[in-house]
Amino acid sequence: MDSVQWLRCGTLIDGSGEPPCTDVAVGIRDGRISAVIPWDNVPEAERNAATDLSGSTVTPGFIDAHVHLLFTCDVDHEATRARFESSSTAELSIVGSRNAQEALLGGVTTVRDCGDTRYVVRGLRDAVRAGTLVGPRILTAGAPLTTTGGHLHWCGNAADSPEEIRKAVRTICTEDVDLVKIMSSGGAMTRGSNVLLPQFEVDELRIAVTEAHRFGRPVASHSLNAESIRRSVAAGVDTLEHCYWRDETGRYGDTADLIALLAPTSTSVVVTMAGIARALLPDREPGSPIEQQAAKAASPTGALATDYRWAREVWEAGITLVLASDAGVRFTPFRRFDETLRCGIEGFQVTPAQAVAMATRNAAKALGIDGEVGLVASGYIADLVVLDGTDASERLGEVRSVYRDGRLIVADSRLIVPELIDPARP
């Protein structure tokens, strides 16, 4: 058993949502957190070998619960789709590998991918697990289940009848995906699909959920309108992605009705703060005119705090709210997860520690990996992010270093690529 590696943290945000602590020691042994104690309690003999982070803030590794590793962050959806559809499997693997490493540089140590094709992301997941690719822990949904001509049908997993749905879910589960993603509504990235109308009947969604759960896989439902949300909750999905409570005319409904629907269930809500939300940050450098125009067009009120008041109300009602990025879609690079966290602070009107909890503890719970990651606590995997500065009362500093499984993997904003070990070498 290895000796304890101590990190002296100037400020610690532990992922629970509670206020930060100061001058805390985090012990790491065999890739897991062995202790979280006041620095003064560290034995004198072990202090000299400690890593001094007394000028920094330490958080759990961020968990981005909604990303698209194979997308290219273009300036419009059609460009992203065209590049996706025209790319070979090898080209998609290169894009996915680069995006995975960009996420890691942004402090994200776990991602849940929601838009695979040809099982490319599954290959990336397995390469990270094997140690041949440096990247975050990856959960993959395979190609999302949709309808012919429906949202993301170009990923290659359309089904239009109960039997087709049943077979499609069985097929991707047999191919060792980590979850099932279903497009319960249309989406902006697929011209011709309708964001304001559902794509599946509730009985069809129930078939998908029943089959996925039989294989032990959770179900994430892309839901951009109220009726698709109602049907998804009735079917028993595990997470609602985006969760826009609006009718077929685009008018937003009373959040109290959404809360009443969700309160008796265990369904979590994943709010994605993508580039068009990041562009609304009041203290952010203005983006391109195209980005600013897109952000204004997509915003109901022109301000994050009013656009996302509904999400704060959902969170205050005790429903698990997860903060994610939708990285890979237009204007949403993987490395800037810090901007998504800032969107959560501004949009939900919460503290930095509360926003971090939504992207760590809450995300882990929603993804079914709580108890392993998401907190800086004894027994948890030692996924940690080191941020500039110690004042985390109002905002968070830039990402400087990242630990994954207890190993320093990003240092001074640079990726550390370990030497490949030949298992046959003595």
Side-chain angles (χ1 to χ4, degrees), residues 264-296:
T265 76
S266 59
T267 302
S268 302
V269 173
V270 180
V271 179
T272 51
M273 295 288 207
I276 54 174
R278 295 173 182 179
L280 296 175
L281 284 166
D283 58 348
R284 183 180 186 258
E285 286 293 320
S288 68
I290 295 174
E291 181 182 12
Q292 293 180 62
Q293 183 180 6
K296 290 176 182 177

Side-chain angles (χ1 to χ4, degrees), residues 100-111:
Q101 293 181 342
E102 288 282 320
L104 201 56
L105 287 164
V108 176
T109 54
T110 302
V111 297

Side-chain angles (χ1 to χ4, degrees), residues 158-180:
D160 297 308
S161 69
E163 284 309 308
E164 287 182 357
I165 292 167
R166 186 174 285 110
K167 183 173 183 179
V169 174
R170 289 175 177 175
T171 298
I172 60 173
C173 288
T174 302
E175 291 290 345
D176 196 28
V177 298
D178 301 295
L179 69 144
V180 172

Side-chain angles (χ1 to χ4, degrees), residues 2 31 40 56 77 90 97 151 157 206 256 334 345 348 350 353 399 411:
D2 293 339
D40 288 346
S56 303
H77 294 318
S97 298
H151 183 38
N157 194 19
R206 282 198 183 103
F334 284 78
I345 295 167
F348 307 151
V350 296
V399 174

